[in-house]
Structure formats: C-alpha cells, structure tokens
Amino acid sequence: MNSPVRKRRRWPFFFLLALALVSLLLHAAKLRRQGDVQGLCDQEAMLAVTQPVEKSKAQRARFYMSRFYLGYPASASYATADLIRRIAEISQPPVRLLAIQIDLGLHDLGFELTIEVVAAGPKAARRKLAFFLERLRDLPGVFQAKPSPASPSVDVSGGRVFVINGRAELS
C-alpha cells in the first residue's frame, strides 16, 4: 500500500523540477537576447553620432580643397608681386637687381636673383653681398637665401655679378 502513494508524491516533484529547468533556460535565453539587442542599439547610436561627423568632415575637406585650388592663382600672384616689391626695396646702390626668376611651388616660392654689386675690390663686394643677404633673410616670409657656389663674374661696368638662390613662403 505504500508504493502507490509514494509514486504519486514523486511525479509533482519531477514536474516542478522540469518547469523550473525550462523557466531557467528561458530566462537565460531572454538575458542573452537582451544583451544582443542592447549591443545593436549601441551600434546604431554610434552610427547616428559618427555619420554626421564623417559627413561634416568630408564637407570641410571639400571646402578647403576648393578654397585652395580656386584661391591659389590669386595668392600665388600676390605673393610673387609682394616678394619682388620687397626685394626691389632692399636693392639699393651699390647693389643693383639685374634679374629675378621665381618658381611657384604648392606651398612656397623658389627664387633666383642675379645682382650686381659695385665695389672697389672683391672683398668689398663680398661684404656688400653679405649685408644684402642679411637684409634679404630678414624679409618676412623668406626662410632661405644663399649665394650660388659659382664664383662671381665681373660685369662690363666693373661690378661683380652674383646669383642668389632662396625660398620664401607662399602666403
């Protein structure tokens, strides 16, 4: 008589255990799905933030590129004219400017000056050239100026002709 009663008492326990196990598995699946959904929501939020930033970066880059390319001829001609004007201002006797050649770069100007220095002798001509070079290097925007390594030639009028190479900023 004890056997049938015992079997009846066991089956509710196994039923409840199975229900608890299924409930536990469903809660674990729910938590895992919530984590996946939260990760996707975070990715979408980051996309919403980064997409306008990337778009504005691209617009800004296009603006500056077009500004550079459209404004380059005007800024290059202004910088060239300004450099020639400043060099002409410091080229006073006994230094005479014979020729200027300016090569435009993207961000700087390369220049070659041919000058005549009228002096009593070669040492005096070198001193006057050094003074001219010092004044040339002091010009705003000029960051390099040096005489050509070739020896100076003597002009018909008795002056010495020097070639100076340099670089200036394109502003």
Side-chain angles (χ1 to χ4, degrees):
M1 281 200 196
N2 270 342
S3 293
V5 173
R6 238 183 190 178
K7 285 186 180 179
R8 276 196 224 165
R9 288 187 185 170
R10 283 188 194 166
W11 76 267
F13 173 73
F14 287 119
F15 181 72
L16 289 175
L17 184 64
L19 284 177
L21 199 71
V22 167
S23 177
L24 184 67
L25 289 174
L26 288 174
H27 280 294
K30 178 184 171 187
L31 289 175
R32 188 176 45 116
R33 296 283 183 195
Q34 280 180 342
D36 292 345
V37 168
Q38 186 63 36
L40 291 173
C41 287
D42 291 343
Q43 283 181 354
E44 184 183 2
M46 289 304 292
L47 267 174
V49 169
T50 58
Q51 191 173 12
V53 170
E54 294 300 323
K55 184 178 177 184
S56 67
K57 280 183 182 179
Q59 285 176 342
R60 189 177 305 128
R62 277 194 308 274
F63 169 76
Y64 284 119
M65 282 179 13
S66 64
R67 184 173 161 197
F68 176 76
Y69 289 120
L70 294 177
Y72 179 77
S75 66
S77 64
Y78 173 78
T80 302
D82 188 48
L83 180 65
I84 292 171
R85 181 184 54 79
R86 290 175 190 228
I87 290 173
E89 284 177 1
I90 65 168
S91 301
Q92 298 170 358
V95 176
R96 193 176 89 182
L97 187 60
L98 298 177
I100 298 177
Q101 179 180 348
I102 296 180
D103 298 320
L104 292 174
L106 284 178
H107 303 290
D108 62 353
L109 301 169
F111 61 87
E112 180 178 287
L113 306 176
T114 305
I115 60 169
E116 177 187 25
V117 178
V118 179
K123 287 186 180 183
R126 291 271 181 199
R127 277 196 309 270
K128 291 177 182 181
L129 174 68
F131 180 70
F132 177 76
L133 282 174
E134 182 179 319
R135 291 185 67 194
L136 182 63
R137 288 182 189 126
D138 288 342
L139 289 178
V142 175
F143 57 88
Q144 179 185 4
K146 60 183 177 186
S148 175
S151 61
S153 60
V154 178
D155 196 4
V156 177
S157 63
R160 303 231 187 288
V161 177
F162 294 94
V163 177
I164 298 171
N165 297 315
R167 299 205 80 66
E169 292 178 351
L170 179 66
S171 54

